[in-house]
PDB file of all heavy atoms in Angstrom:
ATOM      1  N   ARG K  29      -5.429 -18.778   8.068  1.00 47.00           N
ATOM      2  CA  ARG K  29      -5.368 -18.174   6.750  1.00 47.00           C
ATOM      3  C   ARG K  29      -6.325 -18.910   5.826  1.00 47.00           C
ATOM      4  O   ARG K  29      -6.270 -20.131   5.701  1.00 47.00           O
ATOM      5  CB  ARG K  29      -3.949 -18.228   6.182  1.00 47.00           C
ATOM      6  CG  ARG K  29      -3.848 -17.562   4.817  1.00 47.00           C
ATOM      7  CD  ARG K  29      -2.442 -17.590   4.249  1.00 47.00           C
ATOM      8  NE  ARG K  29      -1.545 -16.896   5.151  1.00 47.00           N
ATOM      9  CZ  ARG K  29      -0.330 -17.345   5.465  1.00 47.00           C
ATOM     10  NH1 ARG K  29       0.111 -18.460   4.961  1.00 47.00           N
ATOM     11  NH2 ARG K  29       0.430 -16.665   6.290  1.00 47.00           N
ATOM     12  N   THR K  38      -0.168  -8.061   0.085  1.00 93.00           N
ATOM     13  CA  THR K  38      -0.588  -6.751   0.567  1.00 93.00           C
ATOM     14  C   THR K  38      -1.159  -5.957  -0.600  1.00 93.00           C
ATOM     15  O   THR K  38      -1.039  -6.337  -1.770  1.00 93.00           O
ATOM     16  CB  THR K  38       0.586  -5.971   1.162  1.00 93.00           C
ATOM     17  OG1 THR K  38       1.542  -5.701   0.115  1.00 93.00           O
ATOM     18  CG2 THR K  38       1.266  -6.751   2.288  1.00 93.00           C
ATOM     19  N   ALA K  40      -0.017  -3.187  -1.703  1.00 94.00           N
ATOM     20  CA  ALA K  40       1.105  -2.746  -2.542  1.00 94.00           C
ATOM     21  C   ALA K  40       1.565  -3.857  -3.476  1.00 94.00           C
ATOM     22  O   ALA K  40       1.896  -3.604  -4.638  1.00 94.00           O
ATOM     23  CB  ALA K  40       2.263  -2.272  -1.666  1.00 94.00           C
ATOM     24  N   GLU K  52       2.570  -5.560 -19.643  1.00 91.00           N
ATOM     25  CA  GLU K  52       2.915  -6.685 -20.504  1.00 91.00           C
ATOM     26  C   GLU K  52       1.794  -7.068 -21.463  1.00 91.00           C
ATOM     27  O   GLU K  52       2.045  -7.398 -22.628  1.00 91.00           O
ATOM     28  CB  GLU K  52       3.264  -7.916 -19.648  1.00 91.00           C
ATOM     29  CG  GLU K  52       4.532  -7.758 -18.837  1.00 91.00           C
ATOM     30  CD  GLU K  52       4.703  -8.906 -17.846  1.00 91.00           C
ATOM     31  OE1 GLU K  52       3.934  -9.895 -17.947  1.00 91.00           O
ATOM     32  OE2 GLU K  52       5.588  -8.804 -16.978  1.00 91.00           O
ATOM     33  N   ALA K  56      -7.188  -5.139 -21.423  1.00 90.00           N
ATOM     34  CA  ALA K  56      -8.155  -6.234 -21.577  1.00 90.00           C
ATOM     35  C   ALA K  56      -7.718  -7.478 -20.817  1.00 90.00           C
ATOM     36  O   ALA K  56      -8.557  -8.246 -20.331  1.00 90.00           O
ATOM     37  CB  ALA K  56      -8.357  -6.553 -23.060  1.00 90.00           C
ATOM     38  N   GLU K  65      -3.806 -15.364 -10.750  1.00 94.00           N
ATOM     39  CA  GLU K  65      -2.882 -16.373 -11.267  1.00 94.00           C
ATOM     40  C   GLU K  65      -1.442 -15.899 -11.174  1.00 94.00           C
ATOM     41  O   GLU K  65      -0.547 -16.665 -10.812  1.00 94.00           O
ATOM     42  CB  GLU K  65      -3.240 -16.710 -12.716  1.00 94.00           C
ATOM     43  CG  GLU K  65      -4.548 -17.480 -12.876  1.00 94.00           C
ATOM     44  CD  GLU K  65      -4.910 -17.701 -14.321  1.00 94.00           C
ATOM     45  OE1 GLU K  65      -4.174 -17.203 -15.207  1.00 94.00           O
ATOM     46  OE2 GLU K  65      -5.936 -18.371 -14.578  1.00 94.00           O
ATOM     47  N   PRO K  99       5.212  21.066  -4.204  1.00 96.00           N
ATOM     48  CA  PRO K  99       5.833  22.114  -3.389  1.00 96.00           C
ATOM     49  C   PRO K  99       5.039  22.340  -2.116  1.00 96.00           C
ATOM     50  O   PRO K  99       3.876  21.940  -2.003  1.00 96.00           O
ATOM     51  CB  PRO K  99       5.756  23.344  -4.304  1.00 96.00           C
ATOM     52  CG  PRO K  99       4.518  23.106  -5.111  1.00 96.00           C
ATOM     53  CD  PRO K  99       4.475  21.616  -5.351  1.00 96.00           C
ATOM     54  N   ASN K 105       6.380  31.993  -3.981  1.00 94.00           N
ATOM     55  CA  ASN K 105       5.736  32.332  -5.243  1.00 94.00           C
ATOM     56  C   ASN K 105       4.732  31.237  -5.591  1.00 94.00           C
ATOM     57  O   ASN K 105       5.105  30.177  -6.089  1.00 94.00           O
ATOM     58  CB  ASN K 105       6.793  32.452  -6.348  1.00 94.00           C
ATOM     59  CG  ASN K 105       6.215  32.903  -7.683  1.00 94.00           C
ATOM     60  OD1 ASN K 105       5.044  32.695  -7.959  1.00 94.00           O
ATOM     61  ND2 ASN K 105       7.058  33.497  -8.514  1.00 94.00           N
ATOM     62  N   ALA K 107       2.509  30.901  -7.948  1.00 93.00           N
ATOM     63  CA  ALA K 107       2.428  30.558  -9.363  1.00 93.00           C
ATOM     64  C   ALA K 107       3.584  29.657  -9.767  1.00 93.00           C
ATOM     65  O   ALA K 107       3.412  28.718 -10.552  1.00 93.00           O
ATOM     66  CB  ALA K 107       2.405  31.819 -10.215  1.00 93.00           C
ATOM     67  N   ARG K 134     -10.671   7.579 -17.214  1.00 89.00           N
ATOM     68  CA  ARG K 134     -11.203   7.716 -15.866  1.00 89.00           C
ATOM     69  C   ARG K 134     -11.264   9.177 -15.427  1.00 89.00           C
ATOM     70  O   ARG K 134     -11.664   9.469 -14.310  1.00 89.00           O
ATOM     71  CB  ARG K 134     -10.318   6.942 -14.874  1.00 89.00           C
ATOM     72  CG  ARG K 134     -10.267   5.438 -15.116  1.00 89.00           C
ATOM     73  CD  ARG K 134     -11.601   4.789 -14.874  1.00 89.00           C
ATOM     74  NE  ARG K 134     -11.997   4.884 -13.469  1.00 89.00           N
ATOM     75  CZ  ARG K 134     -13.254   4.796 -13.063  1.00 89.00           C
ATOM     76  NH1 ARG K 134     -14.227   4.637 -13.939  1.00 89.00           N
ATOM     77  NH2 ARG K 134     -13.536   4.876 -11.783  1.00 89.00           N
ATOM     78  N   GLY K 136      -8.809  11.315 -14.749  1.00 87.00           N
ATOM     79  CA  GLY K 136      -7.923  11.544 -13.619  1.00 87.00           C
ATOM     80  C   GLY K 136      -8.011  10.438 -12.594  1.00 87.00           C
ATOM     81  O   GLY K 136      -8.479   9.339 -12.873  1.00 87.00           O
ATOM     82  N   GLY K 146      -4.723  17.723  -5.258  1.00 96.00           N
ATOM     83  CA  GLY K 146      -5.786  18.683  -5.551  1.00 96.00           C
ATOM     84  C   GLY K 146      -5.889  19.752  -4.488  1.00 96.00           C
ATOM     85  O   GLY K 146      -6.086  20.940  -4.802  1.00 96.00           O
ATOM     86  N   VAL K 158      -6.925  33.512  -6.611  1.00 91.00           N
ATOM     87  CA  VAL K 158      -7.970  32.923  -7.453  1.00 91.00           C
ATOM     88  C   VAL K 158      -9.025  32.352  -6.514  1.00 91.00           C
ATOM     89  O   VAL K 158      -8.798  31.333  -5.862  1.00 91.00           O
ATOM     90  CB  VAL K 158      -7.411  31.814  -8.363  1.00 91.00           C
ATOM     91  CG1 VAL K 158      -8.513  31.246  -9.248  1.00 91.00           C
ATOM     92  CG2 VAL K 158      -6.268  32.363  -9.217  1.00 91.00           C
ATOM     93  N   SER K 186      12.041  10.275 -28.861  1.00 61.00           N
ATOM     94  CA  SER K 186      12.827  11.170 -28.014  1.00 61.00           C
ATOM     95  C   SER K 186      13.790  12.018 -28.833  1.00 61.00           C
ATOM     96  O   SER K 186      14.241  13.074 -28.396  1.00 61.00           O
ATOM     97  CB  SER K 186      13.617  10.359 -26.970  1.00 61.00           C
ATOM     98  OG  SER K 186      14.466   9.421 -27.620  1.00 61.00           O
ATOM     99  N   ALA K 196       9.787  14.318 -28.124  1.00 81.00           N
ATOM    100  CA  ALA K 196       9.292  14.458 -26.759  1.00 81.00           C
ATOM    101  C   ALA K 196       9.978  15.631 -26.062  1.00 81.00           C
ATOM    102  O   ALA K 196       9.347  16.328 -25.256  1.00 81.00           O
ATOM    103  CB  ALA K 196       9.519  13.161 -25.993  1.00 81.00           C
ATOM    104  N   SER K 217      -9.493  35.397 -13.292  1.00 59.00           N
ATOM    105  CA  SER K 217     -10.139  35.130 -12.011  1.00 59.00           C
ATOM    106  C   SER K 217      -9.287  35.550 -10.832  1.00 59.00           C
ATOM    107  O   SER K 217      -9.776  35.684  -9.725  1.00 59.00           O
ATOM    108  CB  SER K 217     -10.452  33.627 -11.881  1.00 59.00           C
ATOM    109  OG  SER K 217     -11.348  33.220 -12.881  1.00 59.00           O
TER     110      SER K 217
END
Side-chain angles (χ1 to χ4, degrees):
R29 182 179 300 137
T38 64
E52 293 171 10
E65 290 176 357
N105 184 334
R134 297 294 295 158
V158 181
S186 58
S217 298

